[in-house]
Amino acid sequence: MRGPVRAGERSLAPDLARGAMLLLIVASNTVFHLWAARTGPAGWHPVDGGPLDTAVQFAMVTALDLRVFPLFAFMFGYGMMRLHRRQTEAGTDPRTATALLRRRGLWLLLFGSAHAALLMAGDIVGVYGILCAVLGTLFIRRGDRTLLTAAGIALLLLAALTALTYLDAAAQPAAAAPPQGPTSADLYASTETDPLAAALTRLETWALTVTLGGALFSFSFHAAILLGFWAARRGVLDRPGDHLPLLRRTAVAGIAIGWAGGLPAALFHVGALDLPAAYAVETGPLFMLQALTGLPGGLGYAAAITLAAHAMPARIRSGLPVALTTAVGKRSLSCYLAHSVLFSPVLAAWGLGLGAHLGSATALLYAVAVWLVTAVGAHLLERAGRRGPAEAALRRLVYGGRTAPAG
């Protein structure tokens, strides 16, 4: 068995996409920490604040919500297929390479549980650990037609769920008040002042809603990972020059569909679209439309970043912004976990509680600052020739001493 990817085997586009993706993720996670704000029917974004806050909320609902994690899932699936193919091309038995994915998935699940217990109920590493083991076992060695068919079935299931939510909302009286459930800040324990109670709430939300619910019903994640398998076989991100027409169509159509699907929810949130509140709850039609169009949006972002990397002049490739972003991309797990270290203890009520004093705009500025801090740390590790601490630990746990020497 050979070891993980070596420095000379890396391509710019995947690392650049992962680094940019982490910036989008940390921005989208701000809503879970504004625990003193009044939220809309979905329980996510605040409905208070000034004009700048409203503009930020409109942009995030349109372009970020339920669009970034499908991008994450696509990149995750792309990496899974590359890992499997590196192993088999080095002579590893395909079944052994598949077992490696299962072992990696198990460790990711354990990483996610620790992340949730200590910091972040919305940890996505655990659900990807489950999907790494399950989808890797079922599909990593299947043919292209099977991958595309399975991805299509997942999207059809999501479309069917979306249609059901429209039928359910239409059957309710227009004046009916939406069900009052906990806000995202409640579910993520940002409002809890007792650290132990907050940890228990985080674990419950992570285990039942995020991880189990995500593994079973996040059909856009399933489709994104399977499409990542398909794209990795063709080297779409590694050799973008061979796939320019596909990348251009995906970027234009994907982003257009993604933004169009988020626009109704954004218009409702800022009061420009008059609909019964039942349409905007977390399981309502507007939310489900965002979920359905989130996959095209995420794929569009991946394609756009890849096209930008392909067209980038050498002087920009060697510049500091690209160096910072790719350093984050190479250490995406470490940076993802580090974001929570700088978010939860500072913003949640069980920590310093500063989230009560931020609005959507100031929280976004804080998120960008957090990303920059982790990017500088990742860049320093890059210059020292070191992996991220989480990547190094995962490498030791997954590969152990069973790898062939590099070279």
Side-chain angles (χ1 to χ4, degrees), residues 46 48 70 74 84 117 127 141 144 171 217 221 226 253 264 291 321 338 368 370 394:
D48 46 18
F74 173 78
H84 191 271
V127 67
R141 297 166 60 192
D144 290 346
F217 301 113
F221 289 8
L226 294 171
V368 173
V370 165
L394 185 63

Side-chain angles (χ1 to χ4, degrees), residues 321 323-325 327-328 335 339 369-381:
L324 290 173
T325 306
V328 171
C335 290
H339 291 165
V370 165
W371 184 89
L372 285 172
V373 168
T374 58
V376 169
H379 184 55
L380 293 175
L381 289 174

Side-chain angles (χ1 to χ4, degrees), residues 281-341:
V281 298
E282 191 170 7
T283 56
L286 295 184
F287 184 90
M288 292 301 296
L289 180 61
Q290 284 181 285
L292 182 62
T293 56
L295 177 59
L299 296 179
Y301 291 155
I305 295 169
T306 303
L307 287 170
H310 176 70
M312 199 175 287
R315 61 182 177 83
I316 297 180
R317 284 175 176 248
S318 59
L320 184 60
V322 172
L324 290 173
T325 306
T326 54
V328 171
K330 293 177 183 179
R331 298 159 184 84
S332 56
L333 179 59
S334 294
C335 290
Y336 176 69
L337 299 176
H339 291 165
S340 295
V341 174

Side-chain angles (χ1 to χ4, degrees), residues 240-277:
D242 298 338
H243 307 279
L244 291 179
L246 172 64
L247 288 168
R248 288 169 183 150
R249 289 194 299 268
T250 303
V252 173
I255 293 175
I257 293 171
W259 287 9
L263 187 59
L267 291 171
F268 177 88
H269 182 79
V270 299
L273 183 63
D274 185 20
L275 285 174

